[in-house]
Amino acid sequence: MTVNLLDFDADGLSAWFAEQGEKPFRARQVLRWMHRFGEADFDAMTDIAKSLRDKLKAKAVVAPPAVVSDKVSGDGTRKFLFDVGGGNAVETVFIPEDDRGTLCVSTQAGCALDCAFCSTGKQGFNRNLTVAEIIGQLWQANRALGADPKGERIISNVVLMGMGEPLANFDNTVKALRLMLDDNAYGLSRRRVTVSTSGLVPAMDQLREACPVALAVSLHAPNDKLRDELVPINKKYPIAELMAACRRYLEKAPRDFVTFEYVMLDGINDTDAHARELLAATRGVPCKFNLIPFNPFPGSPFRRSQPERVRRFAEILMVAGIITTTRKTRGDDIDAACGQLAGQVQDKTRRTAGRTFPLQEVRH
Ligand code: SAH
Ligand code: SF4
C-alpha cells in the first residue's frame, strides 16, 4: 500500500522509516525536504541515496490536497479552495498584515456542532480532514506564496479558525500542530499558532498536555441560556466549566491569556447589559476579547451589529481593563471572511435537507 508521507508527524515518520529498516536521521532529512523546502519529488531530494529514493518512490507519495481555486481579494487576502475528495472542498485563507502573515486553516469538511450563526455549521458534518489535508494547506500556501526576497517568513502565524472544530478532530490536529512547530518542518513559535475551539472541555485539557499552543475560545454569549442557543455544545459544557478549563489551560499555555471570540449579532448578544454580564462571566480568567462583526450568509437569520454598537460594547470591556480588539472584516469580496467559508461539503447529517449548497462558492 502506498503511504502519504504528509500524514506523519516527525515521530510517525521516524517509526515508518524504522519499519523500512532506515535510520531516524534519514526520516529527518526527508521531513526537511518535504516541509521546509516544499519538495514532493523524491528524486529532487539530492542528499538522499538513490537506493532509498527508489524505495520511497515504490512505497510512498508526498500528496497534499489539490488546489481547486486560488483568489486574491482587493485587500490582499488570498483564499485557496482545496479538493478533499468525494465532492468536498475546504478553504484556507491567507491574511497579510504589516507585521505578520496569518494562514487560517480548516480541520474538518463541515462541522457537527451547528452553531446558529456559522455557515460551516449549517452545512453539517462530512468528515475529519487527514493530517496530510491539514498540513497540506500550509504546504500548498507556502508554495503558492513563494519565498520572501528578504528571507522573512511569509506565513508567520497559523490559526485553526477555518472550517470545522479542530478539537473534534483531535489526533490529526495535534499531529499537524506538531509539524507546524517542528524545526525540521515549519518551525513556527507556539505563541504564533492558535487553536480556536467552541469549547470542547475534555479536549482542551488533552491539548494542554499533548501540544499547548495559543488558545482562542468562541464564547459569543455571556450566559448559558443564550449560549445554549448560539453554540449548542454549551449544553454539554456550560460557561462555568468552560472558564475553569480555560484557567487550567493557561497553566501550560505559551501565552498568559485566552482570546475570547465574540461574534456581534445585532440585538441578540450586543447590548451594554450583555457586555457587563460578560465581565462577570469571565472574571478570574486572564483574557483578551476579539469582537467579530457577524458575516452574513444566505439564509442566516442574523444581522451584523452597527459599528457604533460594537464600539460601545468594546468600550465597556476596555474600561474594565480587558484588551479588546474588533476584527476587521477582510476578504469579504471573495467570501473569505470568518464564517463565510462555504466550500462545497456533502452533508452526511442531512442538516441542510431542502437547501442547496455551496452557499457562495460557485458565484466567482
Ligand atoms: N470551530 C472553531 C473554529 C472555526 S470557526 C470555533 O468555533 O472556534 C472560527 C471563528 O469564526 C469562530 O469564532 C466562529 O464562531 C466564527 N464565526 C463563525 N461564523 C461566523 C460568521 N458568520 N460571522 C463571523 N464569525 C463567525
Ligand atoms: Fe463548527 Fe466553529 Fe462553525 Fe460552531 S462556529 S459550527 S464549532 S466551525
Side-chain angles (χ1 to χ4, degrees), residues 259-280:
T259 302
F260 288 124
E261 296 165 276
Y262 197 95
V263 62
M264 296 295 288
L265 305 168
D266 183 30
I268 305 282
N269 66 352
D270 66 347
T271 66
D272 287 3
H274 287 128
R276 284 191 288 268
E277 204 180 353
L278 209 45
L279 290 170

Side-chain angles (χ1 to χ4, degrees), residues 285-363:
V285 183
C287 63
K288 293 186 183 176
F289 265 86
N290 191 215
L291 306 180
I292 316 173
F294 170 65
N295 290 309
F297 54 91
S300 75
F302 301 109
R303 285 184 315 264
R304 179 183 290 184
S305 306
Q306 294 299 316
E308 178 52 26
R309 183 88 297 272
V310 179
R311 199 197 56 71
R312 173 74 190 131
F313 196 93
E315 192 176 82
I316 294 173
L317 300 176
M318 297 279 267
V319 166
I322 298 183
I323 293 174
T324 304
T325 50
T326 300
R327 193 172 294 171
K328 272 189 286 177
T329 291
R330 296 190 57 170
D332 51 355
D333 55 336
I334 53 168
D335 293 334
C338 306
Q340 286 188 320
L341 303 184
Q344 189 167 344
V345 171
Q346 309 282 317
D347 181 7
K348 291 249 175 78
T349 48
R350 306 256 167 250
R351 180 165 294 143
T352 52
R355 290 174 63 184
T356 44
F357 285 91
L359 289 172
Q360 315 183 355
E361 191 46 50
V362 288
R363 269 205 271 123

